[in-house]
Amino acid sequence: MIVEPKVREFICTTAHPTGCYENVKRQIAYVKDKGTIEGPKRVLVIGASTGYGLASRITAAFACQASTIGVMFEKPSNGKRTATPGWYNTVAFEKEAEKNGLYAKSINGDAFSLEVKEKVIEMIKEDLGQVDMVIYSLAAPRRTTADGTVWASSLKTTGEAFTEKSLDLRNNTIVTKTVEPAKDGELEGTIKVMGGEDWMDWMDTLHGAGVLSENAVTVAYSYIGPKLTYPIYYDGTIGQAKRHLTKTAEKINEKYSDIKAYISVNKALVTQASAAIPIVPLYFAILYKVMKVQGTHEGCIEQISRLFHEKLFVEKPVTDEQGRIRMDDWELSDEVQDKVMECWKNVTTENVAELSDIDGYWQDFYQMFGFHLDGVDYAKDVDLEVAIPSLE
Ligand code: NAI
């Protein structure tokens, strides 16, 4: 079948298998080019199929030569509909790992469930014995807890309604958008889904099963962003969940002297999760422009490669006074933010193409689904139903 992108606002409902493969290959080439790291040899990545989690799995495997187990929640193709991009990315990752003699297995299921946690433990016991590192990179809209309650995550403010400029992704115009305050239960739901409770569950369960090596490292990803987006992000429902995640790192460290837990505060990047946040895409497009001009722009793979090489697997991990690793150091520098704010004030529909990197935004967006990659023949028939080798 010939696959074309079908975009509806911030979501693309198709994915291209060859394009996703190319995307993964490019990330692997980047990591290989950066050289090897004395790091973990057995790594579990929760949320391993797209965005920051995929970049983490690639870095662990191809820079540290680590065996990896990846957990994700993706849909295979049904023959008519394409699979989700994370499915095709995982096909590519496993095939490339095999070519390089690296162990890689994946579990496709709900990471919040006990069933998946038990499957992972069984796999670790059988194949690896223990793991040295656990990366927690979930971005999910919902979580069902053990008692059957379904919690939903929302992107709302926790105070007043917040009105700001926004990019209408349907036609690239500048509009005004209002984000409403959270209603009853929405803040609690967001903390349940995107806070640290499930990360703690994972660490308790893995530790209890004896599958963590002495001095295992665990990292979860967070975001802070500029003051401009505080009402919707850092002080909003999602920011409260991220605060809970940060507290969880402290809790893990207090509870287990043989585990070292870190929060890595990463840069704002276009991923399936972040494209859905209102107001934020315009900030991204302006940020991309400013950072590209300054030569400091990074994507997920550049961020995670720098995390491993320069902040985490060094003699003493580099953290701020609150113990967090700051991969948003370049994004939040005055040099970048002053320029971003100036553009933000002046941006209109007429000058958005000039003041922001709207093309770069859309390029990243399409590439996430395997489209718009040079060297891929999109006129060629592709097999939609490629299988993830370890799930066959
Ligand atoms: P993403 O949408 O690209 O990746 C999410 C991953 O979670 C995928 O592998 C998906 O399969 C998996 N997943 C979702 N629900 C699942 C479930 N129930 N069970 C198993 N796997 C599930 O998202 P992204 O952006 O890479 O986010 C990862 C983390 O990084 C999140 O915590 C996010 O808040 C954080 N982050 C993202 C930033 C951004 O700008 N994109 C910036 C800083 C932090």
Side-chain angles (χ1 to χ4, degrees), residues 63-76:
C64 308
Q65 304 300 307
S67 300
T68 58
I69 292 178
V71 180
M72 77 242 171
F73 205 33
E74 301 295 343
K75 279 206 189 91

Side-chain angles (χ1 to χ4, degrees), residues 47 49-50 52 73-74 109-111 137-139 222 242 267-269 271:
S49 52
T50 54
Y52 277 116
F73 205 33
E74 301 295 343
D110 182 7
S137 185
L138 284 189
S222 186
K242 291 298 187 188
K267 180 194 179 204
L269 281 173
T271 62

Side-chain angles (χ1 to χ4, degrees), residues 31-322:
V31 166
K32 282 187 167 177
D33 190 52
K34 288 282 162 192
T36 55
I37 301 167
E38 253 329 296
K41 293 287 177 224
R42 300 163 298 180
V43 177
L44 167 64
V45 185
I46 304 158
S49 52
T50 54
Y52 277 116
L54 173 66
S56 305
R57 189 177 195 186
I58 291 174
T59 308
F62 291 91
C64 308
Q65 304 300 307
S67 300
T68 58
I69 292 178
V71 180
M72 77 242 171
F73 205 33
E74 301 295 343
K75 279 206 189 91
S77 162
N78 62 1
K80 283 192 217 117
R81 200 190 51 217
T82 72
T84 49
W87 180 276
Y88 293 136
N89 291 339
T90 306
V91 173
F93 175 83
E94 285 198 6
K95 287 191 174 166
E96 289 300 305
E98 203 204 339
K99 275 191 207 158
N100 285 268
L102 295 165
Y103 168 100
K105 280 195 186 170
S106 308
I107 289 175
N108 191 34
D110 182 7
F112 294 120
S113 70
L114 181 61
E115 188 198 340
V116 163
K117 292 181 176 78
E118 284 172 345
K119 264 195 194 164
V120 167
I121 288 169
E122 202 182 300
M123 193 177 269
I124 297 174
K125 280 187 177 163
E126 262 173 32
D127 296 350
L128 307 175
Q130 291 185 317
V131 289
D132 317 305
M133 183 178 194
V134 179
I135 295 163
Y136 191 82
S137 185
L138 284 189
R142 268 174 299 284
R143 169 182 172 203
T144 307
T145 40
D147 61 359
T149 311
V150 181
W151 303 89
S153 167
S154 44
L155 295 156
K156 299 276 182 75
T157 74
T158 52
E160 319 265 287
F162 175 60
T163 303
E164 248 307 343
K165 282 181 183 173
S166 187
L167 180 62
D168 186 336
L169 295 168
R170 288 166 300 191
N171 51 20
N172 294 341
T173 56
I174 302 297
V175 293
T176 305
K177 185 120 190 166
T178 298
V179 178
E180 298 298 334
K183 295 196 197 80
D184 272 358
E186 286 184 327
L187 174 60
E188 193 190 359
T190 311
I191 294 174
K192 279 278 181 192
V193 181
M194 291 300 286
E197 193 175 74
D198 180 62
W199 183 26
M200 191 78 207
D201 273 0
W202 269 101
M203 298 318 290
D204 282 340
T205 315
L206 294 167
H207 193 272
V211 294
L212 295 177
S213 67
E214 186 71 26
N215 297 321
V217 173
T218 183
V219 184
Y221 297 138
S222 186
Y223 183 67
I224 294 177
K227 289 214 166 61
L228 170 76
T229 59
Y230 272 16
I232 160 76
Y233 199 97
Y234 193 52
D235 290 334
T237 49
I238 181 73
Q240 299 302 327
K242 291 298 187 188
R243 282 177 169 83
H244 187 274
L245 192 73
T246 305
K247 285 228 171 66
T248 305
E250 290 164 19
K251 264 203 200 157
I252 296 171
N253 287 327
E254 279 160 20
K255 188 165 176 186
Y256 299 110
S257 59
D258 55 346
I259 302 178
K260 194 77 200 95
Y262 293 98
I263 290 293
S264 174
V265 185
N266 294 349
K267 180 194 179 204
L269 281 173
V270 184
T271 62
Q272 289 180 82
S274 64
I277 310 177
I279 298 169
V280 163
L282 178 59
Y283 168 72
F284 283 15
I286 295 176
L287 180 73
Y288 275 31
K289 171 91 179 201
V290 171
M291 293 187 86
K292 281 182 185 174
V293 168
Q294 295 191 354
T296 52
H297 177 72
E298 296 174 302
C300 290
I301 198 67
E302 289 85 358
Q303 276 266 297
I304 302 301
S305 170
R306 187 159 68 91
L307 166 69
F308 274 51
H309 274 280
E310 295 179 20
K311 306 264 189 178
L312 194 53
F313 298 110
V314 288
E315 198 141 317
K316 190 171 177 294
V318 186
T319 60
D320 65 9
E321 60 288 349
Q322 282 163 266

